[in-house]
Amino acid sequence: MKSISVIGSGTMGNGIAHVFAQHGFQVSLVDIQATQLEKALSTISKNMDRQVAKGSLTEEDKSAALAGISTFTDMQEGVKNAELVVEAATENLDLKLEIFKKLDQFAPASAILATNTSSISITKIAAVTQKPAQVIGMHFMNPVPVMKLVEVIRGYATSNEVTEQIMELSRNLSKEPVEVNDYPGFVANRILMPMINEAIYSLFEGVAGVAEIDTVMKLGMAHPMGPLQLADFIGLDVCLSILKVLHDGFGNPKYAPCPLLVNMVTAGYKGVKTGEGFYQYT
Ligand code: CAA
């Protein structure tokens, strides 16, 4: 594969475009907003500067990678030559179903259609296309250029051949792919989100304060970030929506989102992106 299209140029989309471009792929980055695409290119350039500063990327490689990224506001144009499309739009079921209906029409018939969804069913997304065997989950972790994992999620109808291709491709990006099946939260968020929810419950019930909870997990369990800081980093609205997927999908009260999380999201305290969550960022 040489030609990849990435749909959505937010935090995950620009990170995914960054990694593919750095590994020599021709990347078409698609977003409905031209200003968002400009912002994404500037973010990719700054993040590559970090790699240049520490010597893991040369200035020449950086220039070549940036030259390999083209931007599009027209999806039809942006995916017409794609061998693989990675969708990284907002985590919203209806939006993703709309996008996949269009990708099914506009991308070449042989293209693999991947989604970076953190919790929406791959099987459900695949069902709106004519080629569910070619639809797969390719779940990167934030920050994409740094984190080694790609969670590769097989939908109910995903073929063995497509799964193998995506596993191999992920290794070619210097990532470590792990194959999992399509059940609510897959593996990453089925384990991560109950931990974050439990940290929020510990705060809600007055067991300890924000800094104390995070310090216990950072120093006691060698986590790079405490669970409350990580929740702010992921986005509290995203955490809430993933917990709802787990709760609805399994019908088990153990996944019920903590009322404090619900209140914070309702009040607009969504973490780093809004300037305040469990911590302040302004
Ligand atoms: N691009 C390129 N390089 C980056 C980067 C980016 N976006 N962000 C950080 N880096 C590099 C830095 O340059 C630095 O490199 P050196 O160590 O070589 O100097 C290194 O990463 C560490 O960064 P910092 O020094 O700025 O800060 P840090 O040591 O606190 O690490 C962190 C930052 C990597 C984010 C670390 O705190 C961490 O690993 N946090 C946990 C991240 C995590 O759990 N991610 C998964 C979230 S869940 C998810 O994404 C999926 C989901 O579905 C919800």
Side-chain angles (χ1 to χ4, degrees), residues 47 50 54 118 139-143 145-147 189 192-193 224-225 230 233-234 242:
N47 284 334
R50 296 184 190 214
K54 71 178 180 192
S118 50
H139 185 203
F140 291 84
M141 303 291 131
N142 185 21
V146 178
M147 305 300 282
N189 281 316
L192 177 64
M193 286 303 154
M225 285 176 170
L230 182 57
F233 178 67
I234 292 168
I242 299 172

Side-chain angles (χ1 to χ4, degrees), residues 142-251:
N142 185 21
V144 183
V146 178
M147 305 300 282
K148 294 297 284 182
L149 178 70
V150 180
E151 192 179 30
V152 175
I153 306 120
R154 294 182 68 122
Y156 192 81
T158 310
S159 73
N160 290 339
E161 193 194 345
V162 164
T163 307
E164 245 335 292
Q165 270 181 283
I166 294 300
M167 295 290 285
E168 182 63 24
L169 177 70
S170 304
R171 290 186 200 104
N172 293 340
L173 297 173
S174 310
K175 301 289 185 199
E176 184 79 43
V178 174
E179 185 184 324
V180 310
N181 289 317
D182 182 25
Y183 290 100
F186 318 132
V187 169
N189 281 316
R190 181 166 179 173
I191 296 172
L192 177 64
M193 286 303 154
M195 183 193 73
I196 287 177
N197 201 34
E198 207 54 40
I200 302 172
Y201 263 113
S202 303
L203 178 69
F204 178 61
E205 291 169 1
V207 179
V210 171
E212 288 74 15
I213 292 168
D214 276 355
T215 301
V216 166
M217 297 305 287
K218 271 199 296 191
L219 302 187
M221 282 73 190
H223 291 191
M225 285 176 170
L228 299 174
Q229 188 190 2
L230 182 57
D232 276 357
F233 178 67
I234 292 168
L236 300 190
D237 52 336
V238 176
C239 294
L240 179 59
S241 92
I242 299 172
L243 280 162
K244 284 182 177 162
V245 167
L246 289 168
H247 193 219
D248 294 347
F250 291 113

